[in-house]
Amino acid sequence: MSAKPVHLAVYDTLADWETGHATAQLARAGRTIRTVGPSTAPVTSTGGLRIQPDAALDDVRPEDSALLILPGADLWDTSDDLAPFARKARAFLEAGVPVAAICGATAGLAREGLLDDRDHTSAVSFYLAATGYAGGERYVETDAVTDGPLVTAGPTEPVAFAREILRLLGVYEGEVLDAWYRLFHDSDAAAYAVLEKAGAL
């Protein structure tokens, strides 16, 4: 297991419900989660949570990270304030370090050109088409998509988003990963026994 932390981007208006399954399960599996903001000044989520970032974006290097998670936020669609996070995602991907983007963050990646040549998904295809990106033919109508080191998902799929992250980082695999998804997405009580037996609860 990599000792490198997972970096969770935090910024004003972030959709705090979109990454909870992923970060909670990663932390339970022994991964360190570090928050990264535009600066180290506090930010406030859509849910009114005040978050003090552990680090500023400029100070985070791909080689020091296992993954960059980009949650959605109103700011992705109302300003250019979060464009630096998309540029950082480019640096991560060019270095071969995974990036996971959900909801509005997928539009940020589209504007940066990072979805032009990769399979991806989002809320709906025309949401990304409105960015003017060139990757429309690579859009996939599904809950979450992993293409190489990039995970994308729409705003209604935080559990599928987490599933892809857990798979990508090798936290869970096969039957255990499937059971985890069935428990949290489908409320399948039978999946609980599989997870308990695997020590994954």
Side-chain angles (χ1 to χ4, degrees):
M1 179 182 295
S2 171
K4 295 178 181 179
V6 169
H7 285 92
L8 171 67
V10 295
Y11 21 70
D12 286 332
T13 74
L14 79 91
D16 36 19
W17 62 92
E18 293 177 343
T19 59
H21 283 285
T23 55
Q25 209 61 46
L26 288 169
R28 284 186 171 210
R31 299 281 182 148
T32 298
I33 309 295
R34 289 182 53 80
T35 53
V36 53
S39 68
T40 55
V43 299
T44 304
S45 74
T46 296
L49 300 180
R50 186 173 183 271
I51 302 167
Q52 179 78 51
D54 295 313
L57 184 65
D58 286 345
D59 296 329
V60 174
R61 305 183 308 165
E63 57 265 36
D64 298 327
S65 182
L67 169 72
L68 175 64
I69 301 176
L70 300 174
D74 294 344
L75 288 178
W76 283 112
D77 297 319
T78 59
S79 75
D80 293 327
D81 290 358
L82 301 185
F85 285 90
R87 291 194 292 271
K88 183 66 73 171
R90 175 179 291 282
F92 267 62
L93 292 172
E94 288 177 349
V97 180
V99 172
I102 186 170
C103 189
T106 61
L109 298 191
R111 292 185 191 97
E112 183 65 19
L114 297 175
L115 304 184
D116 291 350
D117 302 310
R118 295 178 172 92
D119 290 345
H120 59 276
T121 194
S122 184
V124 288
S125 60
F126 56 80
Y127 169 64
L128 291 187
T131 68
Y133 85 131
E137 292 185 356
R138 302 295 294 267
Y139 188 89
V140 183
E141 292 282 359
T142 191
D143 55 8
V145 172
T146 298
D147 188 336
L150 178 65
V151 173
T152 53
T156 61
E157 299 294 345
V159 180
F161 184 60
R163 177 196 65 207
E164 295 305 299
I165 289 171
L166 296 174
R167 187 201 321 270
L168 187 64
L169 295 185
V171 175
Y172 298 142
E173 298 174 335
E175 181 185 29
V176 175
L177 181 64
D178 178 66
W180 182 88
Y181 180 76
R182 287 188 290 111
L183 179 63
F184 288 98
H185 187 267
D186 303 327
S187 300
D188 183 352
Y192 185 90
V194 176
L195 295 173
E196 187 174 44
K197 181 179 179 180
L201 289 173

